[in-house]
C-alpha cells in the first residue's frame, strides 16, 4: 500500500462505559506543532473534564519521531499508550486523537481503562471519514525564464505542489511530488523543456 489514511476534517464520536462519558475528537495534524495546538484546543473546549488523554501520529505512520501520547492524569499506561497502540496498528497518519473523559462514579480499574480508551479510538477510526495521503518527495528544478510560462501551466495541471520559487539567473522551483507518479512526470517535464532543465531530487519526506 503506497498511501496512508488521514481525517478529512475534525470529527467527534461519543461512547458511554459504566456511566463514564468518553468523547473522542480526531483531527488531521501535520507535525508536532499542529498536534499540540489541537490538544490545547481540546483542553480549552473541555476544561471541566476529568481527563483529556491524547495520542498522535503527526506524520507518515512509520515516522516514529512524530509519535507521542499522554495519560493526562489517568494511571500510567492506561490511556495514552493504548490509544497510540491502536494508531500504530492502523494505516492512519497525520492524525491526533483526544479522548475526553467525564467520570461517571464507577471505577473501571487499570484493565478496564485500557479497554475503554482502546475501544474509544477503535470505534472512532471505524467511523472516521478519511482520505488517501500519498507520501511526497522534495524535488528542486532549475529552468530558464523563456520556458517559465509553459512549465507553470504544466505544474498547475498536475498533482505536484509548488512549495517555493526563487528568481535569479535561473528560476529555482521547489516541488513536492508524489513518489508513485514522479518517474513518469519527471520524463514529461524533461520532454516539455526539451532537456533544458536541471532536476535535483532529495530524500523522501
Amino acid at each position: 500500500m503506497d498511501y496512508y489514511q488521514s481525517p478529512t476534517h475534525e470529527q467527534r464520536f461519543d461512547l458511554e462505559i459504566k456511566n463514564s462519558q468518553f468523547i473522542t475528537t480526531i483531527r488531521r495534524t501535520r507535525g508536532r506543532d499542529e498536534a499540540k495546538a489541537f490538544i490545547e484546543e481540546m483542553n480549552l473546549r473541555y476544561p471541566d473534564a476529568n481527563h483529556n488523554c491524547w495520542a498522535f501520529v503527526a506524520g507518515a505512520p512509520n515516522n516514529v519521531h512524530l509519535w507521542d501520547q499522554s495519560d493526562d492524569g489517568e494511571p500510567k499506561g492506561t490511556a495514552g499508550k493504548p490509544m497510540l497502540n491502536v494508531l500504530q496498528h492502523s494505516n492512519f497518519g497525520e492524525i491526533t486523537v483526544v479522548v475526553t473523559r467525564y467520570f461517571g462514579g464507577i471505577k473501571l480499574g487499570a484493565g478496564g481503562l485500557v479497554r475503554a480508551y482502546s475501544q474509544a479510538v477503535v470505534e472512532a477510526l471505524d467511523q472516521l471519514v478519511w482520505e488517501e495521503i500519498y507520501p511526497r518527495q522534495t524535488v528542486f528544478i532549475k529552468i530558464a525564464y523563456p520556458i517559465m510560462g509553459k512549465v507553470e501551466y504544466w505544474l498547475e495541471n498536475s498533482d505536484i505542489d509548488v512549495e517555493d520559487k526563487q528568481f535569479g539567473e535561473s528560476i529555482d522551483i521547489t516541488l513536492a511530488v508524489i513518489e508513485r507518479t514522479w518517474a513518469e512526470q519527471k520524463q514529461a517535464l524533461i520532454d516539455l523543456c526539451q532537456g533544458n532543465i536541471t532536476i535535483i531530487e532529495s530524500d523522501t519526506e
Side-chain angles (χ1 to χ4, degrees):
M1 187 178 293
D2 58 0
Y3 69 85
Y4 55 89
Q5 299 157 201
S6 195
T8 57
H9 59 284
E10 183 182 308
Q11 296 165 65
R12 168 181 164 163
F13 307 91
D14 294 355
L15 181 67
E16 181 178 327
I17 299 175
K18 293 186 177 178
N19 295 337
S20 281
Q21 301 296 321
F22 292 86
I23 302 168
T24 304
T25 312
I26 299 179
R27 183 187 293 175
R28 182 180 181 190
T29 51
R30 285 164 277 197
R32 283 183 172 272
D33 289 346
E34 282 191 19
K36 290 297 181 71
F38 171 54
I39 293 162
E40 182 57 30
E41 193 177 315
M42 292 300 100
N43 286 331
L44 294 173
R45 187 179 299 180
Y46 301 107
D48 59 336
N50 296 95
H51 308 278
N52 284 302
C53 306
W54 53 266
F56 63 69
V57 175
N62 61 353
N63 188 347
V64 298
H65 302 293
L66 292 177
W67 295 355
D68 208 349
Q69 52 83 21
S70 170
D71 297 310
D72 191 41
E74 293 281 31
K76 186 176 180 180
T78 61
K81 189 173 181 180
M83 290 167 61
L84 181 59
N85 186 56
V86 173
L87 292 180
Q88 289 170 342
H89 290 86
S90 71
N91 190 41
F92 281 92
E94 298 182 10
I95 185 172
T96 298
V97 179
V98 179
V99 177
T100 301
R101 183 189 182 198
Y102 286 92
F103 180 55
I106 302 174
K107 291 186 177 181
L108 303 181
L113 287 171
V114 169
R115 289 189 294 273
Y117 281 100
S118 298
Q119 181 182 345
V121 178
V122 167
E123 291 194 9
L125 293 182
D126 283 345
Q127 301 172 70
L128 196 69
V129 179
W130 53 268
E131 61 184 330
E132 296 173 0
I133 305 296
Y134 290 88
R136 288 183 180 265
Q137 174 185 359
T138 300
V139 172
F140 305 94
I141 65 171
K142 292 178 178 288
I143 59 172
Y145 283 86
I147 60 174
M148 176 181 174
K150 65 179 182 180
V151 171
E152 285 188 324
Y153 179 79
W154 185 87
L155 289 170
E156 287 171 3
N157 289 279
S158 74
D159 58 14
I160 295 173
D161 290 340
V162 177
E163 296 191 326
D164 187 47
K165 289 181 187 175
Q166 298 291 330
F167 299 91
E169 292 184 7
S170 62
I171 303 167
D172 298 347
I173 306 175
T174 305
L175 307 175
V177 304
I178 295 175
E179 295 172 22
R180 70 187 184 102
T181 55
W182 170 235
E184 186 177 333
Q185 291 172 329
K186 178 180 177 180
Q187 189 56 53
L189 259 179
I190 292 170
D191 294 343
L192 178 71
C193 299
Q194 297 180 321
N196 296 314
I197 182 174
T198 300
I199 299 175
I200 303 169
E201 300 180 31
S202 71
D203 293 332
T204 304
E205 288 185 349

